[in-house]
């Protein structure tokens, strides 16, 4: 009887000790961290795939995206929105964020260029860039404050200085613009739905999901614009080390291979 009571007492004591020690595996497991990444709308597909592979290697990191026009993202951050990383489709909006004291030193991680898209049915039978100047052609572009909208105007300016096109061509094309959108994805959507005859977007916006619904007209390199995409960790982040780790991953061979897959150009 005394032996049995002793065994019971020892067992109870052991259980209490184990309970006090807790689960060492659970205690050593890193706490989950959520990163808010503000990124230009044209990065939607590529960044979504990059975060999927990154989170597989870093299961304690959860990445939440806010995709929109770069100018809108800067405005949101200026108004106090919580962001850990900011990826812009142009240097101008990154400079705005930097001048406002919102970000640390940015790095260029990708480049892009423009293309003209047409709905698959192509009801206006547009075959060349010159056809965009035909009367009653409906063209949709991004607003001038949006990076791709600014680049579109730069392309038209280059075309206007060419004897093959001229200022009359540019004036005719601008007269045909029926809508100015807040981000590039809205331009793609209107064209693929047939709400416009043509639109200016990034070449990377002709993704696998929409390629069958669109035709494209390439813009020759001498008229095109190469867009630089900078990225930076924000100064307000509470997870600077984790944000920098994800930025480094984007710049790594793994991240760059995904960007190349989606037709982004490598940074210089």
């Amino acid at each position: 009887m005394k032996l049995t009571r002793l065994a019971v007492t020892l067992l109870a004591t052991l259980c209490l000790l184990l309970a006090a020690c807790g689960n060492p595996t659970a205690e050593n497991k890193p706490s989950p961290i959520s990163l808010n990444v503000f990124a230009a709308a044209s990065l939607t597909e590529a960044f979504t795939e990059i975060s999927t592979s990154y989170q597989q290697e870093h299961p304690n990191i959860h990445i939440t995206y806010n995709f929109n026009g770069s100018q809108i993202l800067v405005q949101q951050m200026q108004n106090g929105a919580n962001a850990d990383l900011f990826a812009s489709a142009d240097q101008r909006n990154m400079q705005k964020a930097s001048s406002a004291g919102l970000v640390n030193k940015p790095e260029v991680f990708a480049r892009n260029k423009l293309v003209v898209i047409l709905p698959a049915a192509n009801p206006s039978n547009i075959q060349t860039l010159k056809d965009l100047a035909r009367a009653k052609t409906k063209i949709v572009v991004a607003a001038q404050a949006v990076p791709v909208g600014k680049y579109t105007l730069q392309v038209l300016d280059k075309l206007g200085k060419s004897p093959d096109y001229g200022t009359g061509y540019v004036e005719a094309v601008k007269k045909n613009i029926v809508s100015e959108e807040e981000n590039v994805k809205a331009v793609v959507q209107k064209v693929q739905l047939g709400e416009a005859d043509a639109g200016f977007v990034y070449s990377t916006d002709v993704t696998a999901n929409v390629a069958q619904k669109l035709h494209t007209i390439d813009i020759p390199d001498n008229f095109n614009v190469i867009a630089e995409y900078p990225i930076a960790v924000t100064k307000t982040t509470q997870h600077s080390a984790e944000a920098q780790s994800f930025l480094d991953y984007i710049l790594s061979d793994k991240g760059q291979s995904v960007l190349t897959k989606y037709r982004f150009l490598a940074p210089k």
Side-chain angles (χ1 to χ4, degrees), residues 34-229:
S34 180
L35 293 179
N36 293 322
V37 179
F38 282 34
S42 52
L43 292 164
T44 301
E45 292 81 11
F47 264 27
T48 299
E49 182 168 330
I50 287 175
S51 65
T52 298
S53 58
Y54 182 80
Q55 289 171 144
Q56 289 174 349
E57 297 181 17
H58 302 80
N60 65 308
I61 303 296
H62 177 71
I63 297 171
T64 301
Y65 284 114
N66 177 15
F67 292 112
N68 214 320
S70 299
Q71 80 290 348
I72 293 177
L73 299 175
V74 173
Q75 185 177 30
Q76 290 175 344
M77 290 191 294
Q78 288 175 325
N79 291 335
N82 179 30
D84 298 294
L85 277 167
F86 172 47
S88 175
D90 68 345
Q91 293 283 9
R92 182 175 66 176
N93 280 293
M94 182 59 77
Q95 183 57 49
K96 285 182 181 179
S98 181
S99 297
L102 298 172
V103 296
N104 295 310
K105 185 179 179 181
E107 296 183 67
V108 174
F109 66 94
R111 296 181 300 147
N112 213 341
K113 61 182 180 179
L114 270 62
V115 67
V116 173
I117 56 172
L118 319 168
N122 194 12
S124 293
N125 192 31
I126 297 172
Q127 301 297 324
T128 68
L129 291 177
K130 290 186 176 181
D131 293 335
L132 298 177
R134 288 201 309 245
K136 298 183 179 180
T137 300
K138 295 183 294 183
I139 301 173
V140 61
V141 298
Q144 186 175 353
V146 184
V148 72
K150 176 192 66 178
Y151 297 138
T152 298
L153 293 177
Q154 291 176 0
V155 168
L156 291 175
D157 183 62
K158 288 185 177 184
L159 290 168
K161 293 177 181 177
S162 166
D164 292 333
Y165 293 89
T167 57
Y169 167 83
V170 176
E171 291 173 0
V173 171
K174 288 183 176 179
K175 189 178 294 185
N176 286 335
I177 294 175
V178 297
S179 179
E180 297 183 356
E181 305 300 321
E182 289 190 345
N183 63 68
V184 70
K185 293 302 183 185
V187 177
V188 174
Q189 184 177 33
K190 285 203 168 185
V191 174
Q192 77 177 54
L193 292 175
E195 296 178 14
D197 299 314
F200 285 80
V201 301
Y202 297 114
S203 62
T204 56
D205 289 304
V206 186
T207 63
N209 290 334
V210 300
Q212 299 302 317
K213 302 172 184 177
L214 299 171
H215 289 305
T216 62
I217 297 177
D218 290 332
I219 300 172
D221 288 343
N222 57 318
F223 298 129
N224 216 322
V225 174
I226 300 299
E228 289 188 328
Y229 282 58

